Amino acid sequence: MFFGLKFKSDFYDCLIKDNGSLEINLKNSWDFKLKKSILNQISAILLSKKFQIIKLNFAEVTEFDYAIALFLSSIIRKSDKKFELINLHNNHEKIFASIKKELSAAIKKDTIAPAKKNINIKNTKNFLYKIGEKIGEFYFGVILFFTFLGEFLVKFLKTIFMPKTIRIKEILAHFENAAIKSAFIVCLASFLVGVVLAYQGANLLERFGASIIIVEMMGMLTLREIAPLIAAIVIAGRLASSYTAQIGVMKITEEIDAMKTMGFDPFKFLVLPRVIALIFAMPIIVFLADLIGLFGEMVVCQTYLDISFGDYLARFKQEVEIRHFYVGVFKAPFFGMVIAFIGCWRGFAVSGNTQSVGKYTTVSVVNAIFGVIMVDALFSIIFTQLEV
């Protein structure tokens, strides 16, 4: 209708009213990823001399960030036209309110709630449809996982070869949270598991008159498998959920979008410090779990089998090879990397509302524990084949 102006696209739809005003229905995602051509088109329409009253309808906007809010506010500020912003969601209104108080006059308070759509949707999902839907969700989940993994590996390797970019302060803070604040619960769990295993093993071996071999049997199992696995599972339950919740809350409050808008890389500030901290913290945690687990077994051996601490330690030194300790500690950094990576990945998957934070926090713990068990099984096969 007007030369050079496009009134319809995938992101907006213009409607010219009888009184000469213009209503623009914004659609889909309006964030920093929006193409420059769309921004140029909408800018040309908003600044066109043909319309003195322009109404922006946000009812169909799915994503909105500070970058677009700044873009619109700059046009509104330098224009002498009358603008109305209608059907703003709560987070849209907060963004506008935070960047420009003058815009409050353009926001229509009585039309904040999205327009109701009287559409009756018949549920036609049959069994095959649900199977296909699950397969599709799984497929897109795998794609997102490998996308996140690829970005993580590239930036992780770049950080290793560029030590100046490592954020030491954040790493130390996360290291303290992982290694020091988690020490008590890891030690308590390792002690109890050591007591239970030693008690059950002693009860069985006593029937065959071979109680003394409990030292090498439980010692090897504790150093090689039990203590590293218990420590990793406790850390997965405590920190994977914590990382997901922290990053998820930052995402729904649009702090991560704000970081991107200001030119900060969320991977560098949120993901890498957590992963690096846990890689260095896990060997220490596993070492503590080894010590406390063996102490629990010594207590049971002394009280139930009458094997003194001195006899236990003498036989332990004689029969248990140091390579079992090395195997357990060697796996620890890989456990830490898996736990931190899954916790951060699920945090970035959070979207929408606080219910999403709860959902992905639960999923994060399950995924992290499964990842730890899978890595442990993989190392078990490799070390067995290598006869380590």
Side-chain angles (χ1 to χ4, degrees):
M1 186 176 295
F2 298 99
F3 182 76
L5 299 181
K6 295 181 179 179
F7 288 94
K8 190 170 185 180
S9 76
D10 292 337
F11 293 92
Y12 65 86
D13 189 3
C14 297
L15 179 63
I16 300 174
K17 300 287 187 177
D18 294 337
N19 59 0
S21 65
L22 178 69
E23 180 171 337
I24 305 175
N25 296 315
L26 303 178
K27 300 186 289 186
N28 300 320
S29 180
W30 279 74
D31 58 15
F32 68 98
K33 299 175 184 175
L34 197 64
K35 294 180 180 177
K36 190 175 180 181
S37 59
I38 299 295
L39 294 176
N40 290 337
Q41 291 166 21
I42 204 71
S43 176
I45 293 172
L46 293 176
L47 295 174
S48 172
K49 296 180 181 178
K50 298 292 181 182
F51 310 104
Q52 294 303 312
I53 301 175
I54 298 179
K55 187 179 292 186
L56 293 173
N57 189 345
F58 289 77
E60 299 181 48
V61 174
T62 56
E63 297 288 341
F64 188 76
D65 65 8
Y66 286 90
I68 299 301
L70 288 169
F71 166 76
L72 293 176
S73 66
S74 67
I75 295 176
I76 293 173
R77 191 171 61 250
K78 66 185 179 183
S79 173
D80 57 353
K81 299 177 182 179
K82 182 180 179 183
F83 285 91
E84 288 186 6
L85 310 181
I86 63 171
N87 289 331
L88 287 165
H89 296 263
N90 290 334
N91 57 334
H92 302 165
E93 191 176 6
K94 289 177 183 176
I95 291 173
F96 276 119
S98 65
I99 62 171
K100 209 64 189 173
K101 293 181 180 178
E102 299 96 293
L103 290 177
S104 58
I107 299 174
K108 293 297 181 183
K109 295 290 185 183
D110 56 344
T111 56
I112 290 175
K116 293 182 179 179
K117 297 180 180 179
N118 296 320
I119 301 174
N120 293 323
I121 301 175
K122 186 179 180 181
N123 186 6
T124 58
K125 294 183 179 180
N126 56 26
F127 178 69
L128 293 176
Y129 182 93
K130 291 178 180 176
I131 291 177
E133 193 175 49
K134 292 295 180 186
I135 292 173
E137 289 177 1
F138 176 77
Y139 172 75
F140 286 113
V142 170
I143 296 295
L144 290 175
F145 172 79
F146 281 107
T147 302
F148 191 84
L149 178 62
E151 188 173 2
F152 165 74
L153 290 176
V154 169
K155 293 180 178 177
F156 183 72
L157 293 175
K158 190 183 291 184
T159 302
I160 291 175
F161 290 107
M162 298 175 67
K164 290 183 179 179
T165 61
I166 297 175
R167 302 190 64 80
I168 302 296
K169 200 172 180 180
E170 284 82 356
I171 291 174
L172 291 177
H174 291 298
F175 180 86
E176 180 189 7
N177 187 35
I180 299 176
K181 294 183 179 178
S182 303
F184 176 74
I185 186 66
V186 170
C187 291
L188 181 61
S190 299
F191 178 79
L192 294 176
V193 171
V195 168
V196 171
L197 290 178
Y199 187 82
Q200 295 299 323
N203 193 26
L204 181 64
L205 292 173
E206 195 177 31
R207 298 179 193 173
F208 301 98
S211 303
I212 193 63
I213 68 170
I214 193 173
V215 177
E216 51 262 42
M217 186 179 75
M218 297 308 302
M220 184 195 73
L221 280 176
T222 300
L223 295 179
R224 194 178 180 104
E225 297 292 340
I226 302 299
L229 207 54
I230 293 299
I233 289 173
V234 171
I235 292 298
R238 185 175 183 274
L239 293 185
S241 58
S242 172
Y243 292 168
T244 302
Q246 290 169 1
I247 295 176
V249 169
M250 292 182 70
K251 190 165 184 201
I252 62 175
T253 55
E254 301 184 349
E255 290 180 58
I256 293 177
D257 291 336
M259 290 175 68
K260 292 177 181 175
T261 303
M262 291 186 287
F264 296 110
D265 185 357
F267 258 83
K268 184 178 174 182
F269 286 84
L270 301 177
V271 179
L272 294 179
R274 286 172 167 82
V275 174
I276 294 172
L278 212 49
I279 285 175
F280 285 100
M282 277 305 293
I284 298 173
I285 295 169
V286 169
F287 178 68
L288 288 175
D290 286 341
L291 291 180
I292 303 300
L294 291 174
F295 177 71
E297 293 164 10
M298 290 167 66
V299 171
V300 172
C301 288
Q302 186 176 37
T303 56
Y304 190 72
L305 298 175
D306 202 22
I307 300 174
S308 68
F309 280 20
D311 293 338
Y312 185 99
L313 292 174
R315 189 169 178 84
F316 184 86
K317 184 179 178 182
Q318 179 183 354
E319 298 294 337
V320 181
E321 298 178 39
I322 190 66
R323 65 186 173 92
H324 300 306
F325 169 74
Y326 291 146
V327 168
V329 173
F330 179 81
K331 294 186 288 187
F334 295 92
F335 290 161
M337 181 181 288
V338 169
I339 294 167
F341 174 80
I342 291 176
C344 295
W345 170 49
R346 287 305 187 184
F348 277 95
V350 170
S351 63
N353 49 39
T354 52
Q355 288 183 338
S356 179
V357 177
K359 172 188 170 184
Y360 281 104
T361 299
T362 305
V363 172
S364 170
V365 174
V366 175
N367 290 163
I369 292 175
F370 176 77
V372 165
I373 294 173
M374 190 172 68
V375 170
D376 187 61
L378 183 64
F379 275 117
S380 180
I381 294 171
I382 293 173
F383 288 140
T384 302
Q385 293 297 320
L386 296 177
E387 298 182 352
V388 177

